[in-house]
Amino acid sequence: MSEPIYKRIVLKLSGEALAGDKDFGINPLTIQKICQEIKDVYELGIEIAIVVGGGNIWRGQTGSEMGMERAQADYMGMIATIMNGLALQDSLENAGVPTRVQTSIEMKEVAEQYIRRRAIRHLEKGRVVIFAGGTGNPYFSTDTTAALRAAEIKADVIMMAKNNVDGVYSADPMKDDAAVKYDKLTYLDIINQSLGVMDTTASTLSMDNDIPLLVFKLNEKGNIKRAVLGEAIGTTVKGKTNE
């Protein structure tokens, strides 16, 4: 296919994706590569919103397990996503792609506060919008943020770009050689089989709003563009049926 099958997408990037081959932090060269992939899709005329995680800097759950108060640990994680969002913005704009960062936690000196109508207007004007700060509430993952923002801006699909994994498997393919890759699933499959693609809140929200999910491998050049053009890569997840 040579024409995009989606008009407006939410691209979900994990914080770990920005660390590259490191275990921690932001790798500028890795971000440049990711942003070039995003630029290739942007040049197709696609409206792109990005939700970025913060696991390369801080995970609220890890802090909680170490004895921190959960809400406090989660807020630290939300701030980590804002740092990642600013790094993505800088790299995208250096590549010539107009970008806005919107945060759920007010930080007016560095980013806009999230306003749904303004976000949609930015997309319509050809700007990439990066949603940072999670939902602005503790106890919710950035997967849930992706599902929520996709519903709010009426995105056609959530595209979940994974590191080193080319779809959804019955078990962890890095640990279990017998793991089977799925081409198609439903959100009920994810919930009932505890497949770990998205948390239950995100899966339910996506299912209730009939937003398809595409899970694919990020670190393979051109995959984001292939996904937008409708090539059969990764795993497609839909509502309650595979039809």
Side-chain angles (χ1 to χ4, degrees), residues 107-235:
M107 201 173 288
K108 61 185 179 180
E109 287 78 10
V110 297
E112 297 178 4
Q113 187 173 3
Y114 171 68
I115 298 175
R116 183 183 67 86
R117 286 177 178 267
R118 181 177 290 175
I120 292 171
R121 187 60 174 159
H122 284 320
L123 293 170
E124 292 172 343
K125 283 184 170 290
R127 299 165 185 147
V128 171
V129 180
I130 300 170
F131 296 125
T135 65
N137 301 286
Y139 300 97
F140 291 97
S141 71
T142 49
D143 286 349
T144 298
T145 306
L148 176 62
R149 297 291 182 252
E152 289 180 307
I153 68 171
K154 302 187 186 306
D156 298 321
V157 65
I158 300 170
M159 300 178 65
M160 185 171 287
K162 292 283 191 179
N163 269 0
N164 303 312
V165 181
D166 61 350
V168 182
Y169 285 76
S170 57
D172 187 342
M174 308 297 288
K175 300 178 181 178
D176 187 348
D177 291 337
V180 176
K181 180 188 172 186
Y182 299 109
D183 293 326
K184 294 182 179 181
L185 287 168
T186 68
Y187 284 111
L188 285 178
D189 292 330
I190 290 176
I191 295 168
N192 294 335
Q193 298 178 39
S194 301
L195 292 176
V197 183
M198 304 173 87
D199 59 69
T200 304
T201 303
S203 298
T204 302
L205 186 57
S206 299
M207 180 175 65
D208 289 346
N209 289 281
D210 198 24
I211 306 168
L213 169 72
L214 178 63
V215 183
F216 64 99
K217 189 175 183 178
L218 173 64
N219 44 338
E220 185 171 318
K221 187 175 181 180
N223 257 5
I224 303 176
K225 186 174 181 178
R226 292 188 190 99
V228 166
L229 292 176
E231 292 189 27
I233 64 171
T235 303

Side-chain angles (χ1 to χ4, degrees), residues 80-94:
T81 72
I82 296 172
M83 294 174 65
N84 284 337
L86 293 175
L88 281 170
Q89 179 184 39
D90 181 76
S91 186
L92 282 168
E93 294 199 333
N94 283 337

